[in-house]
Amino acid sequence: MPVACNVADDSSVIAALDAAEAADGVARIVVNCAGIPGSMRLVGREGPVDMARFSQVIGVNLLATVSMMTKAAARMMTLDPLDPDGERGVIVNTSSITAFEGQIGQGAYVASKGAIAAMTIQVAREFAANGVQVLAIAPGLFHTPMAADVPPEVDGAITSDAIFLRCFGEPEDFADLRLSMIQNPMLNGEVIRLDAGVRLRAR
Ligand SMILES: NC(=O)c1ccc[n+]([C@@H]2O[C@H](COP(=O)([O-])OP(=O)(O)OC[C@H]3O[C@@H](n4cnc5c(N)ncnc54)[C@H](O)[C@@H]3O)[C@@H](O)[C@H]2O)c1
């Protein structure tokens, strides 16, 4: 059931969770995937970075993830456990390999995705007593509208650094990993790179 939601707007997040809950009960699985790119040098030809643009990327990629994760987890924590181990649900956030090999001109995006990666074990620890597991995927490059603007020469340079396969990933590969992470009860507090072994260059 699709529900329109601006994840950067708290009231919209609450309304979406309310609508989902009314239709199907409290969600035990939450996948945070919304995100925006944001190329900008921290000090460019026009001077220091525009903090409003920087904040917008942090707002959608990081703060909205925290907003949805905490609001959804608080609801999950009211549910009965699914099993004697006390499992109540799982949240899977979306980081990026730029969290680990930040490229020139990607400061806002790197800050947002790095924070999501860093928070994964912290939040998993915080929610553990209530049986909510927290995970993240750090994708490399995937064929989605976000990556559509990557020029072919950049595409080639990035994928040629991959170990194998030397190509963009497909959304299905990403969805498969999500599903298997959700299904595996032994995974918690982990950020998994899905990138064919690529290590990003400086630019
Ligand atoms: N495509 C890649 O190569 C790649 C690599 C690393 C990480 N990621 C991450 O994967 C996630 C999915 O990205 P994608 O590649 O599918 O990009 P995409 O642009 O195709 O999809 C992003 C989605 O987020 C939605 N969105 C943006 N702002 C929103 C808001 N305020 N409220 C609700 N929805 C909003 C957009 O409408 C869009 O549907 C993002 O978090 C992105 O940063 C993508």
Side-chain angles (χ1 to χ4, degrees), residues 28-34 65 68-69 76 89-95 116 120 132-138 174-175 177-183 187 190-192:
R28 289 190 187 268
I29 298 169
V30 169
V31 171
N32 271 312
C33 202
T65 296
M68 180 65 83
M69 173 168 65
M76 272 180 215
V90 57
I91 296 167
V92 192
N93 296 322
T94 307
S95 177
I116 290 171
T120 307
V132 176
Q133 291 169 305
V134 182
L135 302 162
I137 299 180
F174 182 71
L177 179 60
R178 289 255 190 223
L179 186 59
S180 96
M181 288 170 81
I182 289 162
Q183 287 171 334
L187 269 181
E190 188 60 272
V191 183
I192 298 184

Side-chain angles (χ1 to χ4, degrees), residues 18-191:
D18 284 346
E21 186 176 327
D24 207 21
V26 171
R28 289 190 187 268
I29 298 169
V30 169
V31 171
N32 271 312
C33 202
I36 55 173
S39 293
M40 61 193 92
R41 289 211 175 216
L42 294 181
V43 180
R45 285 195 195 90
E46 285 145 27
V49 68
D50 174 353
M51 288 309 291
R53 281 189 66 209
F54 194 99
S55 301
Q56 187 194 9
V57 176
I58 299 292
V60 174
N61 292 358
L62 173 60
L63 302 183
T65 296
V66 174
S67 171
M68 180 65 83
M69 173 168 65
T70 53
K71 289 173 179 58
R75 293 175 191 228
M76 272 180 215
M77 290 173 190
T78 67
L79 295 172
D80 289 334
L82 286 167
D83 53 31
D85 293 329
E87 284 187 76
R88 287 196 169 82
V90 57
I91 296 167
V92 192
N93 296 322
T94 307
S95 177
S96 162
I97 60 169
T98 60
F100 312 108
E101 297 118 33
Q103 293 189 295
I104 290 167
Q106 297 291 324
Y109 190 75
V110 167
S112 67
K113 297 298 184 177
I116 290 171
M119 286 184 77
T120 307
I121 183 67
Q122 181 270 326
V123 188
R125 286 171 166 169
E126 201 166 309
F127 292 176
N130 298 100
V132 176
Q133 291 169 305
V134 182
L135 302 162
I137 299 180
L141 275 168
F142 278 76
H143 272 139
T144 67
M146 185 182 281
D149 293 340
V150 177
E153 62 278 13
V154 176
D155 170 345
I158 293 170
T159 53
S160 68
D161 284 346
I163 297 174
F164 186 78
L165 305 169
R166 290 190 179 137
C167 60
F168 273 42
E170 297 301 330
E172 293 76 11
D173 306 324
F174 182 71
D176 282 350
L177 179 60
R178 289 255 190 223
L179 186 59
S180 96
M181 288 170 81
I182 289 162
Q183 287 171 334
N184 194 321
M186 283 305 289
L187 269 181
N188 197 9
E190 188 60 272
V191 183

